[in-house]
């Protein structure tokens, strides 16, 4: 709702500001649904997919940590890795930036970086996208490897808007509403068992809890 005074006094079209804000909010909701959606009244997120592969933590791995072996095993189980991207919560960045590749009893940093170059934006050759909709470090879904080409999404009706002076007429307010009609779900209904391996493959891979 917006008062008629705001609409009259605003130096910029208040309706345009509202529409821009709702477009940003709808985009955020869609990202969250692609990852965490239940499939009931919203998208089916990859975390709810029957094809999701969960990589177990390493023996003795510290709580709330990410180690090099986690990445290698996630990479090995991803179907069509050349199309995949890494998704991670912002909390994961310090762990990703301090990853070490084990060599004998020691190791070397996975990224040789400095303050000028900044943090890594790729892992094992594929882009890294930080998002608030992945879970916090150590929880299931904090680090994911996703091939979005295997996710089905359709828009039947693009974002629409309407306004009314009648709903809140006695309050001297105008009512705005926004909506769209769409749907999305994971294309795969189960992980793939390769012809010559017992280790399944999937476009949707995540890391198990490290608690």
């Amino acid at each position: 709702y917006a008062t008629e005074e705001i609409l009259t006094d605003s130096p910029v079209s208040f309706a345009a500001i509202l529409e821009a804000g709702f477009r940003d909010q709808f985009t955020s909701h869609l990202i969250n649904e692609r990852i965490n959606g239940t499939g009931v009244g919203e998208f089916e997120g990859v975390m709810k997919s029957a094809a999701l592969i969960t990589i177990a933590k390493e023996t003795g791995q510290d709580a709330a940590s990410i180690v090099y072996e986690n990445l290698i095993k996630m990479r090995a189980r991803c179907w069509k890795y050349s199309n995949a991207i890494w998704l991670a919560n912002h909390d994961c960045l310090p762990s990703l930036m301090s990853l070490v590749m084990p060599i004998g009893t020691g190791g070397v940093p996975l990224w040789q970086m400095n303050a000028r170059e900044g943090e890594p934006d790729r892992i094992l050759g594929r882009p890294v996208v930080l998002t608030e909709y992945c879970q916090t470090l150590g929880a299931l879904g904090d680090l994911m490897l996703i091939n979005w080409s295997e996710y089905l999404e359709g828009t039947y009706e693009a974002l629409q808007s309407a306004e009314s002076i009648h709903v809140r007429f006695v309050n001297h307010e105008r009512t705005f509403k926004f909506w769209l009609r769409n749907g999305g779900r994971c294309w795969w209904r189960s992980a793939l068992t390769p012809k010559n391996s017992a280790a399944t493959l999937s476009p949707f891979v995540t890391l198990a809890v490290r608690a």
Side-chain angles (χ1 to χ4, degrees):
Y1 308 113
T3 65
E4 293 295 341
E5 286 82 1
I6 288 179
L7 295 171
T8 301
D9 298 343
S10 176
V12 181
S13 170
F14 194 77
I17 295 174
L18 275 178
E19 183 173 354
F22 267 87
R23 286 187 183 278
D24 288 344
Q25 188 61 29
F26 269 65
T27 299
S28 295
H29 275 289
L30 291 176
I31 295 171
N32 185 41
E33 287 185 15
R34 290 184 187 109
I35 297 173
N36 301 306
T38 64
V40 180
E42 59 183 6
F43 287 8
E44 178 194 75
V46 295
M47 291 299 296
K48 302 297 183 183
S49 172
L52 179 68
I53 290 177
T54 301
I55 302 299
K57 68 177 183 179
E58 295 298 297
T59 302
Q61 182 173 344
D62 292 340
S65 67
I66 298 172
V67 297
Y68 181 68
E69 290 82 0
N70 297 152
L71 305 184
I72 297 300
K73 291 181 178 180
M74 292 178 70
R75 163 69 179 87
R77 302 289 295 279
C78 182
W79 190 81
K80 287 196 174 180
Y81 181 73
S82 60
N83 292 334
I85 66 170
W86 296 87
L87 297 177
N89 188 287
H90 295 78
D91 296 343
C92 297
L93 187 58
S95 290
L96 293 175
M97 292 179 67
S98 58
L99 278 170
V100 172
M101 181 187 303
I103 298 179
T105 58
V108 296
L110 196 58
W111 284 281
Q112 298 288 343
M113 54 196 165
N114 55 51
R116 183 187 65 190
E117 301 298 336
E119 71 276 3
D121 60 1
R122 301 177 78 84
I123 293 177
L124 302 178
R126 298 306 302 159
V128 181
V129 178
L130 300 178
T131 172
E132 62 183 303
Y133 300 112
C134 285
Q135 302 303 308
T136 190
L137 179 62
L140 176 67
D142 61 342
L143 180 66
M144 307 178 70
L145 184 55
I146 306 296
N147 178 354
W148 287 115
S149 67
E150 301 304 309
Y151 189 89
L152 298 177
E153 182 176 345
T155 299
Y156 183 73
E157 186 176 16
L159 183 63
Q160 305 289 314
S161 64
E163 61 182 271
S164 171
I165 64 172
H166 306 291
V167 177
R168 302 272 292 181
F169 181 75
V170 297
N171 301 92
H172 203 52
E173 293 177 347
R174 197 174 304 184
T175 301
F176 296 85
K177 70 175 181 178
F178 301 84
W179 73 94
L180 58 80
R181 298 170 67 189
N182 60 3
R185 68 181 304 172
C186 304
W187 198 351
W188 290 37
R189 308 318 300 165
S190 64
L192 169 70
T193 301
K195 181 176 181 179
N196 296 311
S197 174
T200 55
L201 301 175
S202 174
F204 317 118
V205 184
T206 190
L207 195 53
V209 174
R210 283 93 58 219

